[in-house]
Amino acid sequence: MTNGTLWAELVAYGSGIALSPLHIGLLLLLLLGPHPLRRGGLLLLSWMLTVTLMVVLLLTVGHGLLLSMAQGSSHRTGLDLLAAGALLALGIKELLNGGEEGTPPGWTRQLDRFCAMPLPLLLGISCGLELISPDDLFLFAKAASALLASGLSRLQEGLFTAVFTLAASLALLLPFLAVLVGREQVLPLLERSKQLLFAKGDLLVGGLSLVLAGYMGWQGVEGLRLG
């Protein structure tokens, strides 16, 4: 795998993780509420640390078990096919939910309750939701498998892990940076973004999930052919 292909894969998998409507909505509410930089910054930091630690853990396990993640290996082919199935199911579910006009997504009704929680509890729940999401787990595993298959040095793995963390955090990082630069100027934009997310978040996630499912399904079929 060339470095260019690896960059593209990590950005694609990271983008799939980044588009978490619940976490983006939660951050927007924190940025629109009291102490936005402190509360929003801690949520963003906890998200980035969770992403990084998850990839490092998977890489450590992969190296320890000497897993082969080359194209055509049974480990990678199985992961590709399972990930494709999980993302296909998620995409269909989100698109069906997004088609219910006038009905706000179920996750939107939880956000105000989350924001009212003490900050340590809120951060813990946020990290927990990030880790138990089946589609996110597959995307984490795919990112780690791409790094393992590339035969990188530990320094290179660290660099590409940082790239993946940035890609997986971009949807949270951009609104936080906008508030950091000038909160009063971006408040109307944040409010409109929140309303758009609540209205179209399911369709966005569903569409991206189907695209990633198609790519991983193709990778799985190629693996079966090569194996």
Side-chain angles (χ1 to χ4, degrees):
M1 182 186 297
T2 66
N3 279 353
T5 302
L6 180 58
W7 282 91
E9 284 203 33
L10 292 179
V11 169
Y13 302 146
S15 298
I17 293 174
L19 291 177
S20 167
L22 188 148
H23 287 89
I24 298 172
L26 183 56
L27 178 69
L28 290 176
L29 286 178
L30 292 178
L31 294 177
L32 288 166
H35 311 296
L37 292 179
R38 180 175 67 86
R39 301 179 78 205
L42 287 173
L43 180 71
L44 173 62
L45 180 61
S46 69
W47 171 277
M48 296 181 75
L49 286 175
T50 302
V51 171
T52 302
L53 291 175
M54 190 66 184
V55 176
V56 169
L57 175 62
L58 290 172
L59 288 174
T60 302
V61 171
H63 285 303
L65 296 178
L66 301 176
L67 295 180
S68 172
M69 284 298 176
Q71 184 78 357
S73 67
S74 59
H75 297 118
R76 178 164 175 174
T77 300
L79 178 60
D80 285 334
L81 293 175
L82 286 172
L87 287 167
L88 178 63
L90 173 69
I92 293 173
K93 174 179 176 292
E94 295 294 337
L95 290 177
L96 290 175
N97 288 342
E100 297 175 2
E101 294 291 338
T103 304
W107 53 267
T108 64
R109 295 188 286 273
Q110 305 296 326
L111 293 182
D112 288 330
R113 185 163 62 88
F114 286 158
C115 287
M117 293 177 177
L119 191 57
L121 180 58
L122 171 62
L123 297 180
I125 291 176
S126 170
C127 293
L129 291 173
E130 189 179 352
L131 292 175
I132 65 173
S133 170
D135 50 303
D136 283 358
L137 289 176
F138 278 116
L139 291 171
F140 280 128
K142 279 296 297 178
S145 72
L147 292 171
L148 290 169
S150 298
L152 304 172
S153 67
R154 293 303 171 91
L155 180 60
Q156 289 174 316
E157 282 187 353
L159 173 62
F160 279 105
T161 298
V163 170
F164 175 75
T165 299
L166 181 62
S169 307
L170 204 56
L172 299 179
L173 185 60
L174 290 179
F176 177 79
L177 290 177
V179 170
L180 185 63
V181 172
R183 181 172 185 259
E184 295 304 319
Q185 292 86 343
V186 299
L187 278 178
L189 179 59
L190 292 178
E191 185 62 42
R192 289 196 298 271
S193 298
K194 185 191 75 172
Q195 293 172 3
L196 180 63
L197 178 71
F198 284 12
K200 302 296 183 183
D202 289 339
L203 296 177
L204 178 63
V205 174
L208 180 63
S209 296
L210 291 182
V211 171
L212 289 172
Y215 173 73
M216 292 185 188
W218 171 70
Q219 289 276 291
V221 171
E222 283 292 297
L224 289 174
R225 187 178 63 82
L226 293 174

